[in-house]
Amino acid sequence: MRAARLIKMVLLLQSRPSMTGAELAHELEVSERTVTRDAQALSEAGVPVYADRGRTGGYRLIGGYRTRLTGLGRSEAEALFLSGLPGALREMGLEDAASAARLKVSAALLPSLRGAPDSAVQRFHLDAPGWYQETRVPKALPAVAEAVWDDRLLSARYGRSDRVVERELAPHGLVLKAGVWYLCARAEGDFRVYRVDRFTAVAVSQHRFERDEDFDLPGFWTERAAQFSRSILRAEAVVRLSEEGVRSLPHVTDRAAAAEALAAAGPPDDRGRTTVRLAVESPDVAHSQLLALGPEAEVLEPAELRARFAEAAARMRELYG
């Protein structure tokens, strides 16, 4: 434990001109007294750590000293490619590996380039979850991520809508979509998608599986996501839209369905309104989505959905006079 901390301290000092005792204590998660002892131990071991006294003092390496302890381990190198996703790394239990990888890369950079990592972090940041959503990390995620990284078989209990099933999975990849984690895995000879938060129990096997060399995670996910989007659009609504309604339709309903409906629509009528046949998930979902368009949309069919809009309009008229 102490050896790893001493190495990290050297790398920190190598990547920056100097650091105060408080800064090192914060980075190493120890007390300033421990920093003082560690600096003395490094100096006795031949590492030229120099301590400047006084209020503006700190620790630095002298004589252009550079360590060769900057080689990346496998887990660190893999985590480095995800370093733009700090939340995802933390949820998968890879934050320490990514931190070590970034530190080693910083230490290996020329002095003139050492500000590049901080410059990038302060200019680009990915916040994956959608607005107004409470992010909950699935308890099974670290174990699932471990199985994915190491190509290990995964025994899992999975909660479906009607029952809990047991599966042995060959986990090929994880996907973070709008704050929700999905596992793409081979089960019973086919590739399937599982929501990680629906795993009620998982166990990582000691046995590894052979990855399918033809499996392409981005391509597989894109295809399955498109299939899912189409599969849930099982109903249809006929809607007459104003010009503003035409512009706003993709923002309140499925974008692909809206694009298809608008592309297939005929020319506007003499009032400038366009009639579309829109694929929707259900009358209930269509009601909540299209209600956001207000007077810019008139539902023509089905009759029961039109009746619900008429009722909503009557209630609005009663409220606002």
Side-chain angles (χ1 to χ4, degrees):
M1 182 71 176
R2 190 191 185 197
R5 189 175 72 242
L6 292 174
I7 292 172
K8 185 174 182 180
M9 183 174 180
V10 173
L11 293 174
L12 284 167
L13 293 175
Q14 186 172 309
S15 64
R16 307 178 193 181
S18 67
M19 295 182 69
T20 66
E23 290 172 337
L24 283 168
H26 175 74
E27 291 284 351
L28 299 173
E29 299 181 349
V30 295
S31 68
E32 292 189 46
R33 180 173 295 180
T34 298
V35 169
T36 301
R37 288 198 295 264
D38 285 351
Q40 183 177 354
L42 286 171
S43 181
E44 292 173 354
V47 179
V49 178
Y50 181 78
D52 291 316
R53 304 295 180 181
R55 295 178 57 188
T56 60
Y59 296 88
R60 59 186 174 88
L61 294 174
I62 60 176
Y65 179 86
R66 297 188 65 79
T67 177
R68 296 181 180 273
L69 297 173
T70 53
L72 293 177
R74 175 182 173 134
S75 63
E76 295 168 347
E78 291 170 334
L80 184 61
F81 286 98
L82 293 172
S83 60
L85 302 169
L89 283 167
R90 186 167 51 252
E91 293 172 8
M92 289 190 291
L94 296 171
E95 187 175 26
D96 289 343
S99 176
R102 288 193 297 268
L103 182 58
K104 289 180 178 181
V105 169
S106 297
L109 291 175
L110 293 172
S112 61
L113 299 177
R114 286 178 187 160
D118 289 337
S119 176
V121 167
Q122 295 305 323
R123 285 167 172 78
F124 301 100
H125 176 69
L126 174 63
D127 185 8
W131 290 105
Y132 315 118
Q133 296 180 6
E134 180 181 355
T135 302
R136 295 182 179 179
V137 181
K139 293 182 179 180
L141 181 59
V144 173
E146 177 188 349
V148 171
W149 281 121
D150 292 340
D151 295 337
R152 295 187 182 275
L153 291 170
L154 190 70
S155 298
R157 292 172 58 84
Y158 188 73
R160 299 176 59 177
S161 58
D162 54 345
R163 67 186 189 280
V164 175
V165 297
E166 294 186 3
R167 293 285 186 269
E168 183 175 69
L169 307 174
H172 277 58
L174 279 165
V175 175
L176 178 60
K177 169 71 172 179
V180 180
W181 285 96
Y182 296 88
L183 174 67
C184 302
R186 189 175 60 216
E188 301 177 350
D190 296 323
F191 281 100
R192 303 176 184 178
V193 177
Y194 301 86
R195 278 187 61 142
V196 177
D197 58 5
R198 291 183 183 173
F199 286 120
T200 58
V202 295
V204 181
S205 171
Q206 295 301 312
H207 301 288
R208 287 186 166 87
F209 64 90
E210 186 175 345
R211 288 184 66 86
D212 187 334
E213 294 182 358
D214 295 328
F215 179 76
D216 172 39
L217 179 60
F220 172 79
W221 176 258
T222 298
E223 180 182 349
R224 287 301 174 92
Q227 291 177 359
F228 176 75
S229 296
R230 290 193 296 269
S231 69
I232 65 174
L233 302 178
R234 301 171 182 171
E236 185 179 77
V238 180
V239 187
R240 184 182 292 143
L241 302 166
S242 68
E243 292 183 7
E244 178 60 30
V246 168
R247 288 191 292 269
S248 300
L249 184 65
H251 301 291
V252 300
T253 187
D254 182 85
R255 286 182 174 272
E260 291 178 6
L262 293 171
D269 59 22
D270 54 1
R271 296 176 57 194
R273 291 185 167 252
T274 302
T275 300
V276 300
R277 305 187 74 88
L278 178 68
V280 295
E281 184 174 345
S282 68
D284 286 341
V285 173
H287 180 261
S288 63
Q289 292 176 336
L290 296 175
L291 199 60
L293 296 179
E296 309 304 328
E298 178 189 0
V299 174
L300 305 178
E301 297 177 17
E304 60 270 22
L305 183 58
R306 180 179 174 85
R308 290 184 63 180
F309 272 88
E311 179 186 359
R315 292 172 59 191
M316 291 283 285
R317 185 167 55 249
E318 181 179 348
L319 285 173
Y320 290 100

